Every structure is written in C-alpha cells, then in structure tokens.
Amino acid sequence: MKRSNIIGCGSYLPERVVTNEELAATISTTDEWITSRTGIKQRHVAAEGELTSDLALKAGERALENSGVDAASVDLLILATTTPDNTFPATGTKVQSKIGMVNGAAFDVQAVCSGFIFALSVADSFVRTGQMETVLVIGAETFSRILDWDDRSTCVLFGDGAGAVVVQAGNGDENNASEVFSGNNVGRGILSTHLHSDGKYTDLLYVDGGPSSTQSVGYVRMNGREVFRHAVVNLASVVDEALDANSLLREDIGWLVPHQANKRIIDGTGKKLGIPDSKVILTVDQHANTSAASIPLALDIAVKDGRIKRGDLLLLEAMGGGLTWGASLVRW
Ligand code: ACO
C-alpha cells in the first residue's frame, strides 16, 4: 500500500476586507461582541462576479507552483465546497479546465465545514490504492453569498476564501525520514483520516433553500449554542480516535490545525485535549469561518510563516453542518 504525501500548499483570499467595525455600522453588533465571542476581527468578501471557481483556481495554482507540479500531471481534482458556482456542473470541473488539467477527473465534495477533511480522505484512498498518483485537493467558498446580512447571529461569523494542497503517492520514507522523525510512525504523509456524520442534527445548521426544496439558494440558519456544544465533544473525540489509530499520544502532536470556525471552539477543544495554545494554529481572526477552505488556508499561512516545518506531526480536524466531523493525522 502506498502512502499519500502532501507535497505543497497554497491559498487565496479575496481583496476586499470587511472589519467588525464596518459590520457594526450596518447591523446591531459591536467589535467587542464579535471578538469576545468568536476571536474574529475581519473577513474577506469576494468581489461582484468573483466566483468560488475563481478563488479555487487561484489557490490551486499557488499549491501547484509551491509543489513544483505541472497541472497536466494531476490525475484528480477534488473541490470541497458548499457554495458551488451553479447547482451543476461540479465547480471542480470548471477549475479543472481553467487550471489546464488535461487528464483524469474532477468532482466536488459537500460536507460543509468538514469538506476539506472529507476531500483529503477521498484523495488519500485513491492514492493508497494506486488508482491515482497526484491529486489536487481544494477547499473554496463564497459563504458571503448564502448569508442573511440582516441576521447578526450568523453574518458576522463567515468569510470567503480558498486553500489547496497537492497530494502525491510516496512510500513514506522520503527525505531520510528515519533520521528526521521519531515516534511510532516514521515517514512523511497522511497517516490516517477519520470521518463521521450524524444526520439527526441537520436542523442545528443548514441553509433554508436549495434546488429540490425551494428552487432558490437560501440562507444559513444556525442554533449557535447547540453547534458549539456538539463541536467541542465531537472534535475532541475524533482527535483521540486518530491518535489511537496510530498508537500516538496527545503530546506527540506538533501542531493542531483546526477548522477555523471560532476561537472559543478551538480553545475549548484544545483545553479538553490538553494541547497548549502554543501548538495551535489560529488564523480565524484574519478571515473568519471560511468553511471548507479554512484548514488549507490555516495550513498555508503557518507553512509560509515558518511555524510548520517538514517532519512536524499535524492533527487536522473539523466539524460542520450535517452534522459532519473528521480528523486527519499528517506527518508534514
Ligand atoms: N452582535 C451582538 N449581539 C449578538 C450577535 C451579534 N453579532 N449575535 C447574537 N447576539 C445576541 C443574541 O441575540 C443574544 O441576545 P439576547 O440574550 O438578548 O437574546 C445574545 O447575543 C447571546 O446570544 P447567544 O446565541 O446566547 O450567544 P453565544 O454566547 O452562544 O454566542 C455564538 C453565539 C458566537 C454563535 C456561539 O454560540 C458559537 O460560537 N457557536 C458556534 C457556531 C459556529 O461557529 N458555527 C459555525 C459553523 S459550525 C462550525 O464551523 C463548527
């Protein structure tokens, strides 16, 4: 069985920044309320006519460049998104064409804020079984298009953005891994992925529209308190599941790279797991909750600023509407 390596990453945020103060000028909220409840200071909002596929394309191109991989050698493109350009075709196919990918296949994965973990898991499965060699995994969202901008309980929480990684087949012992890494799992790559969903909780977080129900796009609706409660419990549990599956301990984690929904959820999960703040990548203040884009965005920011280094053990985790949740352990 092969091992999947993440060989590079990239991200893109739309130019326009909307600060908490700007929101406070249009709805009944304050910078203090948003910051203390969520840790969010600003969000990026796509320009008129700038679509999810445009964001995905830019992040995908940057990830390919960072990996030194030509688009023509990508076998599979998986786009995690809840905000596709159109109901169909899959937005991934538009990105496939624009990025210059001439072989293989492209499709979308829909698991809302857990979308990137789900897409990474699909990529890992294709690579491990030898069906695909090189996979471009992108998370991209224009959540600003499905927000009710008069609903202060949701509109302050989300933003637009995209992040991407290139996953490539390897055997896990690249770069003299045995010299560089200690612990039970020597070698680079995705050690395992763990996915969950529980459809009993669809009513906690959903969009009140869609092609089959209302023939309109709809807006995000959420029971924030209940989502919060489920998030901390489910995330801590799936992190332990990933560690157990690899005979690793919480203290072996080099960096926790969580879905950037909300600082209080991230703090709560870190505290429950006993992971110190110094080992948690936190970027939600800069871009708010970008759903499926948030993990590759946070990853890219922390790789580029030098915090995450080759050989570090990363724990990626997310929870989102569905409810869906998942985690992945990665030796960077
Ligand atoms: N500005 C000012 N006041 C607000 C705002 C706002 N933007 N939004 C809500 N309020 C008010 C409410 O109306 C309420 O007022 P009331 O007491 O007069 O009725 C008061 O603030 C308290 O509201 P709560 O909902 O109890 O506030 P809470 O402390 O639970 O914080 C929050 C709300 C931030 C949404 C929290 O529940 C949360 O973080 N939930 C997780 C939600 C989340 O992150 N979802 C993202 C998708 S899922 C995921 O990615 C994991």
Side-chain angles (χ1 to χ4, degrees):
M1 188 84 87
K2 291 188 176 181
R3 171 79 70 86
S4 314
N5 285 333
I6 300 182
I7 61 166
C9 53
S11 63
Y12 173 75
L13 287 164
E15 242 171 66
R16 183 161 173 243
V17 172
V18 177
T19 62
N20 291 347
E21 286 84 0
E22 275 178 85
L23 281 183
T26 57
I27 53 167
S28 173
T29 191
T30 59
D31 173 49
E32 195 282 320
W33 193 96
I34 301 172
T35 306
S36 63
R37 297 297 209 291
T38 71
I40 294 164
K41 296 302 286 182
Q42 61 177 41
R43 70 282 302 136
H44 291 247
V45 174
E48 205 181 324
E50 192 177 28
L51 307 184
T52 293
S53 60
D54 298 317
L55 275 51
L57 176 65
K58 288 189 172 123
E61 283 174 340
R62 289 175 183 181
L64 289 178
E65 194 187 337
N66 180 249
S67 311
V69 167
D70 191 77
S73 59
V74 175
D75 303 307
L76 178 66
L77 185 156
I78 308 175
L79 175 64
T81 189
T82 303
T83 45
D85 291 4
N86 300 96
T87 303
F88 81 85
T91 303
T93 57
K94 284 173 84 173
V95 182
Q96 174 189 25
S97 152
K98 286 183 182 170
I99 212 163
M101 190 185 144
V102 287
N103 300 309
F107 57 83
D108 292 357
V109 160
Q110 218 287 40
V112 207
C113 298
S114 313
F116 181 75
I117 299 284
F118 277 58
L120 193 67
S121 180
V122 175
D124 184 40
S125 301
F126 273 113
V127 169
R128 276 179 193 263
T129 54
Q131 290 186 75
M132 301 288 178
E133 188 77 18
T134 305
V135 186
L136 179 58
V137 182
I138 309 175
E141 304 277 16
T142 47
F143 246 67
S144 62
R145 307 265 156 74
I146 55 166
L147 294 176
D148 174 353
W149 288 96
D150 293 322
D151 176 6
R152 67 177 182 174
S153 69
T154 53
C155 76
V156 302
L157 302 176
F158 297 92
D160 301 338
V165 298
V166 177
V167 175
Q168 199 165 59
N171 55 18
D173 61 1
E174 285 82 359
N175 297 349
N176 298 318
S178 54
E179 287 171 29
V180 181
F181 311 136
S182 58
N184 294 337
N185 281 278
V186 293
R188 257 174 80 179
I190 299 173
L191 306 189
S192 63
T193 59
H194 305 267
L195 307 183
H196 292 274
S197 65
D198 190 341
K200 275 202 302 292
Y201 299 110
T202 49
D203 289 352
L204 296 186
L205 180 56
Y206 64 100
V207 163
D208 61 3
S212 182
S213 55
T214 61
Q215 297 83 56
S216 64
V217 174
Y219 294 120
V220 173
R221 304 295 175 205
M222 181 179 70
N223 179 337
R225 276 212 176 157
E226 279 300 300
V227 170
F228 192 104
R229 199 173 60 78
H230 283 275
V232 174
V233 173
N234 291 342
L235 291 172
S237 149
V238 77
V239 165
D240 278 340
E241 180 186 328
L243 290 169
D244 286 350
N246 294 282
S247 306
L248 289 165
L249 302 170
R250 291 169 176 181
E251 49 266 37
D252 292 324
I253 297 172
W255 290 105
L256 182 69
V257 189
H259 165 48
Q260 306 287 316
N262 178 313
K263 184 175 184 302
R264 283 199 306 161
I265 292 179
I266 295 171
D267 287 349
T269 310
K271 202 168 162 201
K272 203 167 164 57
L273 291 166
I275 299 172
D277 292 352
S278 59
K279 286 184 164 189
V280 180
I281 304 296
L282 193 70
T283 59
V284 69
D285 56 320
Q286 301 169 43
H287 52 68
N289 182 349
T290 56
S291 184
S294 93
I295 290 178
L297 251 171
L299 189 65
D300 190 46
I301 291 170
V303 167
K304 301 287 158 61
D305 71 22
R307 274 178 290 174
I308 293 177
K309 296 186 178 56
R310 280 287 167 214
D312 287 350
L313 186 68
L314 313 183
L315 197 310
L316 321 179
E317 47 87 333
M319 195 196 86
L323 297 174
T324 55
W325 65 101
S328 179
L329 259 174
V330 176
R331 182 73 74 180
W332 187 250

